[in-house]
Structure formats: C-alpha cells, structure tokens
Amino acid sequence: MEETQANPNPAQDLDSSADTAGADAANVDTFAGLQAALADAEARVVAAQEDFLRAKAETENMRRRAQEDVSKAHKFAIESFAEHLLPVIDSLEAALADASGDMAKVKEGVALTLRQLTAALEKGRVVAINPVGEKFDPHRHQAISMVPAEQEANTVVAVLQKGFLIADRVLRPALVTVSQAK
C-alpha cells in the first residue's frame, strides 16, 4: 500500500493555490496590458506611415509646382522686355518707310530710336558700362591695349566698345584701353 504523505500544514496548500491563482491573474492582466500596448503601438505605426505618405505626396506636389513655376518664369520672363522693345521696332519701320530723303530727319529719327532702345534696355535692367577715368576692373572691363597717359597707371583711358550689365551682372565687358605705368 502506498502511503501518500499529507502535508502537515493544510493551510500552506491553500496559500500555494491562492498564490498560483493570483500569479495567473497577474499574468493575464500583464498579457492584456501588453496586448493593449502592442495594439496602441501598431495604431501609432499605421498613423505615422499615413502621415509619412501624406508628407511625401505633398513634397512631390510642391516640387512639381515649383518646376512648373520655374518653367513658366523662363518661358514668360522675356515677355515684359519684348513689350518694351516693340516701340523701337515701330520707329525703325517708320524710318525705313520714310521716302523723303531728308538726312537730318533720318538722323533725328535714329537718335530717337536709340533713346527708345536705351530706355527699353534700362527697364529690362540692362545698363551700359562707361568706365572712362575709373580704375581697370578685370571683372567689368577687357583691356585691349595699354597706352602712355597722364593718368594714374591702370586707369581706363578710352572705351572702344561699351560693356553692359544686367542686374549688376556683366553681360558683356567693356573693351578699353588702359594707361600704363610712367
């Protein structure tokens, strides 16, 4: 016959089973808490992915719009400048249509047309460089020769061809002669 050993302390058996039930309940609570935290984290990941995709799409839209704006700016930038040149064309056509043969009138018309052209260029922010008497600047001038002169060395003595700036940027350097050292 087998003898089963009875626990001399039956209260300890009850405590042990109560501890196991309490541990199981704590594990269930912990597991439920972890599941809730996991679900919350997954929801945040999904929301972050959606926000990322929205931000990516918005960035792509902005890039596309910016490209279109630049394209339109390049395409229509010259429009205003061309509008300022139209009166110059009208004046030149009128000069060609003049059959009077009066050279004084033709010369006066050419002078007027040159003033119109200069005004149109200035409205387009194109200005002439006239550096006579200024120090030679290799960024704005191109020296063709050096000549003996009474002026200080490396000073522009004469302009052979005007230079032009467009918005403070050299469009064409002025061709100049420069004074040489004495």
Side-chain angles (χ1 to χ4, degrees):
M1 217 185 223
E2 285 185 24
E3 284 186 36
T4 49
Q5 277 190 344
N7 191 356
N9 190 354
Q12 189 178 17
D13 282 339
L14 289 176
D15 285 345
S16 170
S17 65
D19 285 345
T20 305
D24 286 343
N27 285 342
V28 169
D29 287 343
T30 303
F31 183 71
L34 288 175
Q35 281 184 325
L38 178 61
D40 183 49
E42 287 174 343
R44 285 192 310 225
V45 167
V46 168
Q49 286 174 334
E50 289 173 358
D51 289 346
F52 170 74
L53 290 175
R54 268 193 222 96
K56 185 177 176 183
E58 182 63 28
T59 302
E60 183 63 27
N61 288 340
M62 287 174 56
R63 186 191 59 75
R64 184 181 41 77
R65 277 188 232 115
Q67 279 181 334
E68 288 173 3
D69 289 346
V70 167
S71 175
K72 286 179 184 177
H74 285 178
K75 185 176 179 180
F76 297 111
I78 199 152
E79 181 178 0
S80 174
F81 183 65
E83 286 176 356
H84 296 301
L85 290 178
L86 295 179
V88 176
I89 292 171
D90 295 338
S91 295
L92 289 172
E93 288 175 347
L96 286 175
D98 182 37
S100 70
D102 187 1
M103 286 308 291
K105 283 187 176 181
V106 171
K107 188 173 181 178
E108 183 181 329
V110 169
L112 174 63
T113 303
L114 179 59
R115 282 195 301 272
Q116 285 178 325
L117 180 58
T118 303
L121 288 172
E122 286 175 356
K123 288 177 183 173
R125 298 177 17 187
V126 176
V127 294
I129 300 173
N130 187 8
V132 173
E134 295 179 8
K135 276 297 219 187
F136 176 74
D137 179 357
H139 300 290
R140 298 172 65 141
H141 313 135
Q142 182 176 350
I144 298 300
S145 64
M146 293 188 83
V147 295
E150 295 297 319
Q151 299 170 337
E152 195 176 316
N154 293 325
T155 301
V156 175
V157 176
V159 176
L160 304 172
Q161 184 181 52
K162 286 183 183 179
F164 289 90
L165 298 174
I166 183 165
D168 296 329
R169 188 167 148 192
V170 176
L171 185 60
R172 179 177 83 185
L175 297 179
V176 297
T177 57
V178 180
S179 62
Q180 65 188 51
K182 294 178 185 177

